[in-house]
């Protein structure tokens, strides 16, 4: 399922479409999205990847491997040095909620809570645990003007929230399937599959 999730992300990027990932816990959905973000940062010049979640400690907290940016830093530091961009130094190019690529101009930046979507145009934007946001309608409005590709990743949180409505009205994506442009594409990352 993790391989298929990468294919889903790439299909969304190439199709300039939105998607949601309905995940079970401990399936590695966020880790896969982190690795995909790092790949874009390294190999796609001028890409701008955004990440958001409901609290600061979920987006970036030094030393906390539960935070998205600590996962991203860990991933990049684990690459062989030959894979690092020319001129890259973790001490210079890793900062709070920001990772810069000096060789190709790419970046990964983070935003928190109601400020998600306020930080400028993005190539792609990931919202982690989207079903658990306090005021998702505010974020929805901001992100609609910020990026053409929004991917919301979340475990479920009951009914009636924005994530649930998108899930219910979305189109479930199958490997190799078409990407819908007028509604959310849905990837179900179920532990039973």
């Amino acid at each position: 399922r993790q391989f298929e999730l990468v294919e889903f992300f790439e299909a969304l990027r190439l199709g300039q479409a939105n998607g949601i990932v309905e995940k079970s816990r401990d399936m590695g959905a966020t880790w896969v999205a982190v690795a995909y973000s790092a790949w874009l940062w390294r190999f796609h010049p001028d890409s701008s990847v955004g990440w958001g979640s409901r609290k600061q400690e979920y987006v970036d907290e030094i030393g906390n491997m539960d935070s998205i940016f600590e996962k991203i830093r860990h991933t990049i530091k684990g690459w062989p040095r030959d894979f690092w961009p020319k001129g890259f130094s973790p001490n210079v190019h890793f900062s709070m909620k920001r990772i810069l690529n000096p060789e190709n101009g790419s970046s990964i930046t983070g935003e928190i809570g109601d400020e998600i979507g306020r930080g400028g145009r993005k190539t792609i934007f990931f919202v982690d645990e989207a079903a658990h946001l306090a005021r998702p309608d505010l974020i929805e409005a901001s992100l609609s003007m910020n990026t053409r590709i929004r991917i919301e990743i979340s475990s479920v949180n009951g009914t009636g929230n924005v994530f649930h409505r998108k899930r219910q009205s979305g189109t479930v994506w199958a490997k190799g399937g078409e990407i819908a442009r007028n509604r959310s594409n849905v990837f179900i990352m179920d532990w039973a599959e």
Side-chain angles (χ1 to χ4, degrees):
R1 295 297 288 160
Q2 292 178 348
F3 286 116
E4 290 177 6
L5 183 56
V6 171
E7 292 172 353
F8 177 67
F9 292 156
E10 187 65 356
L12 293 173
R13 184 179 73 85
L14 295 174
Q16 298 284 290
N18 295 325
I20 67 169
V21 179
E22 179 185 303
K23 70 173 186 172
S24 297
R25 300 290 301 174
D26 297 325
M27 288 293 294
T30 303
W31 274 103
V32 171
V34 157
Y36 184 78
S37 298
W39 172 76
L40 284 173
W41 172 85
R42 177 59 186 98
F43 295 108
H44 287 265
D46 299 315
S47 65
S48 178
V49 179
W51 271 93
S53 194
R54 66 189 190 273
K55 293 184 179 178
Q56 169 73 33
E57 60 266 25
Y58 300 147
V59 175
D60 198 357
E61 186 173 59
I62 301 296
N64 178 2
M65 283 302 291
D66 290 333
S67 77
I68 293 158
F69 274 74
E70 197 66 5
K71 285 177 169 79
I72 297 169
R73 287 188 284 267
H74 176 78
T75 297
I76 294 169
K77 285 180 189 176
W79 292 345
R81 296 302 178 259
D82 290 345
F83 281 21
W84 284 10
K86 288 181 181 141
F88 174 75
S89 167
N91 293 336
V92 174
H93 298 103
F94 285 162
S95 59
M96 186 61 74
K97 298 184 294 178
R98 184 175 323 236
I99 297 173
L100 303 174
N101 182 330
E103 182 180 0
N104 70 9
S106 293
S107 65
I108 304 172
T109 57
E111 298 172 9
I112 301 159
D114 293 346
E115 296 304 309
I116 293 172
R118 305 258 181 231
R121 298 281 303 154
K122 301 289 183 253
T123 306
I124 191 169
F125 203 104
F126 291 93
V127 181
D128 198 44
E129 292 299 348
H132 303 271
L133 295 169
R135 287 178 288 281
D137 292 317
L138 293 174
I139 295 161
E140 186 74 17
S142 297
L143 281 176
S144 69
M145 298 296 156
N146 179 293
T147 185
R148 290 185 181 157
I149 310 160
R150 178 178 62 246
I151 302 173
E152 299 175 23
I153 303 170
S154 191
S155 52
V156 297
N157 186 26
T159 61
N161 57 60
V162 173
F163 185 83
H164 178 259
R165 288 193 302 269
K166 285 182 182 180
R167 167 62 182 95
Q168 292 305 105
S169 65
T171 301
V172 176
W173 180 82
K175 183 178 177 176
E178 294 292 318
I179 290 293
R181 296 282 313 216
N182 58 350
R183 64 179 59 154
S184 290
N185 296 275
V186 179
F187 185 92
I188 301 170
M189 196 153 187
D190 191 335
W191 63 269
E193 292 192 23

